[in-house]
Amino acid sequence: MLIGAGEMLSPGYTNVQYTWLHLAPAPGAFPNGFSLVMGTLVDPLSGLMLIVVTVVGFLVMLYSIGYMHQDHGLPRYYAELSLFLAAMSGLVLSNNLLEFFLFWELVGVCSYFLIGFYYEKPSAASAAKEAFLVTRVGDVMFLAGIFIYFDHYALAGPAGLGGWAANGFVFVHGATPFLAGSMGGNSTLLTIAGILILGGAAGKSAQFPLHVWLPDAMEGPTTVSALIHAATMVAAGVYLLAVTSLFLGFTSFDLLVIVAIGGFTTLFAASMAVVHPDIKRVIAYSTISQLGYMVLAIGAGFAMLGLFHLFTHAFFKALLFLAAGSVIHAVGTQDLFKMGGLRKTMRVTAAAFAIGGLALAGIPPFAGFWSKDDILAAVYSDLGAHPAYWPFFLMAYAAVFLTAYYIFRVWFLVFSGDHPRDPTLPHAHEGPWVMQVPLIILSAFAVFGGLLIFVPSFDNLLLSGNGVAGVPPTYGTTQIVLSAISVLLAAAGILLAWRLWGNGRVFVLAESSPAQALRRLLLNRYYFKVGYDWIGQKGVYTVARAADFFDRFVIDGTIRGFERMFAGFSDRLRRIQSGLVSDYAAYVVAGLLTVFILLLFVAPYVVSKWGGA
């Protein structure tokens, strides 16, 4: 953490690497040879991520002592959690795309282990497989994008890219840690590569349309959810987009697609969170929505602001998940409509969840306000040059209202009122100190983390990688007005949540209401999961059955047919070896007779036919 803080606030970087594999010079492609390297790059970018990974990881480990102390799989849990954190640390410290991809895959397999930690439960095993398979779709796209970038930069070796041509996928070029997209172009090949990189990021960071796995990933322990949503897996996708934007660059079409995916996902995911009855899944949809803000910022050319929101989001999202874990630990259910009145017996948890909610809603001076509003103001400043961004900017703005509404709907359902709505729930109480201390520390980060923007060196870092040509966004009266509107929208969302759910109230939508159709649509996730399941059952399964038939009866059948044919032939041939001298004498006589006939009748004909010619 200290190394990360030092590098984050300093202008330099440290790059240590060694050659892993060297290819000898070859005419054309490798005139000077080519090396694949493994290395460690600690710069302001990775320093920022190191703080997130190490701080949140440590607090989750500490919290787990109390939360998981009765679990029989505790040794396995800590082993997998430690490997998860090590993989994420290796990812952010990688100095090249090849090494990045190796740790990227390790992060994926660790998420499979941890989401399916309670593998005895069919739902947990299914969720782990779903997460693994959906993210594999993105991973295949990511790997294909790496191949295209490799072919374009490393093999072609264009002028000015000596770092790529000599060292492979290295992110550092010369003495400049941030290239601000100077390697980018507008060729069709680079556009395809950028879309493929976006696919990889969308899979890991659960962006539309590869978002379906993240809500179901709540089948794992709540501490795993906190780590996945705050510091590891979903952060990896945003980090990939950021380093690609800063060191390689995207084409203009790629940037428009990234903005569209990010802006749409903010509103799309937030809409599903407003009706869900599961406390963890509401926060999961919140993560998808907030990641959309980060993707939006990167697509608009403000990668460092996107990472700043990732930084603040990590702390208040970990806080929300761990506070939810305390509630689940106390009452034994995730159903919001069975809870209520818990602020009286769980004051620390109630205060922590409220702080996390205010930060998520973007209420000043909490951390989420500074990073989210910076993104909205920066994207707004770019609308004149890119009017196509307008719809997605408005979607992100509308999501501000929904975000405040759904997170305080959760708070009022859980903590307000006089008593739980389900009288059979056990008497709630705060967890042990090892669960309360992380909540207090994360609450401090959620309150003060955004104030880092007033540290000059940190502010310069945020501006260093922004803008199409490295030009920082202009802030002034417009930013203040935009922030004021954003805060008013958030306040309106909180007020509506209090009006419908405050003081123990439970808003019940009439069955005859036309809004019931919309509610069912949201509860069924716009039927995307149903559609993907149908594609899997009708499409993928049908193709798999056809492939299985072809394998069994065409390929294997052909092999078995040749096997039977040669077996029968050899069986008949071996019977010639009878071991009887009389049989062998008969074979010799038959052979001599055949030769005699050939010489007597066939040979003269051949000589007369071909000899004359």
Side-chain angles (χ1 to χ4, degrees):
M1 184 187 75
L2 295 177
I3 294 175
E7 288 291 343
M8 183 183 70
L9 299 177
S10 66
Y13 69 95
T14 300
N15 181 42
V16 179
Q17 66 185 38
Y18 68 93
T19 300
W20 179 40
L21 176 66
H22 179 72
L23 301 179
F30 301 113
N32 300 315
F34 182 80
S35 297
L36 293 177
V37 302
M38 301 293 280
T40 299
L41 173 64
V42 184
D43 62 355
L45 194 64
S46 57
L48 185 74
M49 294 297 296
L50 273 179
I51 294 175
V52 171
V53 174
T54 55
V55 172
V56 174
F58 168 74
L59 293 176
V60 168
M61 287 280 197
L62 180 63
Y63 183 94
S64 298
I65 296 174
Y67 188 80
M68 300 288 292
H69 73 281
Q70 292 183 334
D71 198 289
H72 66 278
L74 200 58
R76 174 168 56 91
Y77 168 82
Y78 274 110
E80 293 170 354
L81 207 64
S82 299
L83 183 60
F84 203 12
L85 289 169
M88 189 64 193
S89 299
L91 184 146
V92 302
L93 290 173
S94 298
N95 79 334
N96 63 85
L97 277 176
L98 175 62
E99 184 180 352
F100 190 103
F101 185 77
L102 295 176
F103 283 111
W104 174 277
E105 290 299 293
L106 188 56
V107 167
V109 75
C110 289
S111 68
Y112 170 77
F113 293 149
L114 288 167
I115 293 170
F117 181 76
Y118 300 120
Y119 57 86
E120 301 92 344
K121 292 172 55 180
S123 58
S126 177
K129 289 184 287 186
E130 180 186 20
F132 191 78
L133 292 174
V134 173
T135 54
R136 289 292 75 70
V137 174
D139 292 356
V140 171
M141 297 176 71
F142 178 25
L143 186 59
I146 291 176
F147 289 155
I148 294 177
Y149 275 130
F150 176 77
D151 177 74
H152 183 79
Y153 289 130
L155 297 186
L161 300 180
W164 276 74
N167 299 314
F169 302 100
V170 176
F171 289 142
V172 177
H173 177 68
T176 307
F178 290 154
L179 299 181
S182 61
M183 289 188 181
N186 281 291
S187 71
T188 302
L189 191 64
L190 288 180
T191 298
I192 295 173
I195 295 297
L196 292 172
I197 294 293
L198 173 61
K204 273 287 193 291
S205 291
Q207 295 295 282
F208 177 87
L210 300 179
H211 61 281
V212 293
W213 67 269
L214 194 58
D216 292 332
M218 298 303 97
E219 292 291 340
T222 306
T223 47
V224 170
S225 302
L227 203 56
I228 288 177
H229 288 246
T232 53
M233 187 166 178
V234 298
V238 173
Y239 186 66
L240 169 63
L241 285 180
V243 296
T244 306
S245 174
L246 292 170
F247 291 105
L248 301 176
F250 288 106
T251 66
S252 55
F253 180 79
D254 289 337
L255 293 175
L256 176 60
V257 174
I258 294 171
V259 166
I261 293 295
F264 176 76
T265 303
T266 57
L267 186 62
F268 175 73
S271 65
M272 291 182 281
V274 301
V275 298
H276 212 285
D278 187 302
I279 184 172
K280 287 177 63 177
R281 281 175 167 77
V282 171
I283 306 174
Y285 286 121
S286 167
T287 299
I288 300 173
S289 178
Q290 294 302 303
L291 291 168
Y293 282 105
M294 304 170 203
V295 173
L296 172 67
I298 294 170
F302 305 99
M304 289 308 299
L305 291 183
L307 288 179
F308 180 40
H309 193 50
L310 187 153
F311 176 79
T312 59
H313 172 266
F315 298 114
F316 63 72
K317 185 51 58 69
L319 174 62
L320 288 170
F321 265 113
L322 296 186
S326 291
V327 171
I328 297 167
H329 184 265
V331 300
T333 182
Q334 298 176 198
D335 190 341
L336 292 169
F337 293 98
K338 292 182 179 181
M339 303 177 191
L342 298 183
R343 76 179 187 280
K344 297 179 180 179
T345 55
M346 303 183 70
R347 297 185 181 278
V348 173
T349 302
F353 200 100
I355 290 171
L358 290 169
L360 175 63
I363 302 296
F366 297 92
F369 165 77
W370 305 103
S371 56
K372 173 186 64 70
D373 278 35
D374 266 5
I375 289 174
L376 293 174
V379 174
Y380 181 83
S381 71
D382 204 36
L383 293 178
H386 301 91
Y389 293 175
W390 263 109
F392 311 108
F393 169 77
L394 294 176
M395 289 179 185
Y397 232 86
V400 173
F401 171 80
L402 294 182
T403 301
Y405 168 76
Y406 67 65
I407 198 62
F408 277 92
R409 167 181 172 268
V410 171
W411 195 93
F412 290 128
L413 281 172
V414 174
F415 298 105
S416 70
D418 297 324
H419 51 77
R421 282 171 286 278
D422 186 349
T424 65
L425 292 181
H427 177 70
H429 57 84
E430 290 285 8
W433 71 268
V434 290
M435 294 176 63
Q436 295 185 50
V437 168
L439 295 180
I440 295 170
I441 296 174
L442 289 170
S443 295
F445 276 107
V447 174
F448 301 111
L451 300 180
L452 274 174
I453 197 171
F454 295 106
V455 178
S457 57
F458 187 79
D459 189 49
N460 291 334
L461 168 66
L462 295 183
L463 299 179
S464 62
N466 293 332
V468 176
V471 179
T474 301
Y475 296 136
T477 305
T478 302
Q479 183 196 24
I480 296 174
V481 172
L482 289 171
S483 294
I485 295 173
S486 174
V487 172
L488 288 175
L489 285 173
I494 296 173
L495 182 62
L496 179 62
W498 178 83
R499 180 69 181 83
L500 297 178
W501 312 98
N503 291 333
R505 291 187 292 270
V506 176
F507 174 73
V508 179
L509 188 65
E511 286 297 327
S512 59
S513 172
Q516 280 288 1
L518 177 61
R519 179 175 177 273
R520 286 191 293 271
L521 179 67
L522 297 177
L523 282 174
N524 286 284
R525 313 188 212 179
Y526 295 95
Y527 296 98
F528 266 91
K529 183 170 172 55
V530 174
Y532 286 159
D533 289 344
W534 184 87
I535 292 173
Q537 293 171 359
K538 302 297 184 181
V540 177
Y541 184 60
T542 299
V543 172
R545 289 184 63 185
D548 179 69
F549 177 86
F550 186 81
D551 180 62
R552 288 174 181 270
F553 299 103
V554 178
I555 298 177
D556 288 353
T558 302
I559 299 298
R560 285 193 294 268
F562 278 111
E563 174 197 1
R564 286 193 292 268
M565 182 183 72
F566 285 111
F569 178 73
S570 62
D571 182 64
R572 289 178 175 83
L573 190 63
R574 71 176 177 80
R575 294 178 184 177
I576 297 175
Q577 301 294 332
S578 62
L580 298 175
V581 176
S582 57
D583 288 348
Y584 298 154
Y587 300 152
V588 171
V589 171
L592 290 173
L593 185 61
T594 301
V595 172
F596 176 76
I597 293 172
L598 289 175
L599 292 174
L600 184 62
F601 297 104
V602 178
Y605 173 77
V606 172
V607 170
S608 63
K609 181 71 174 176
W610 297 101

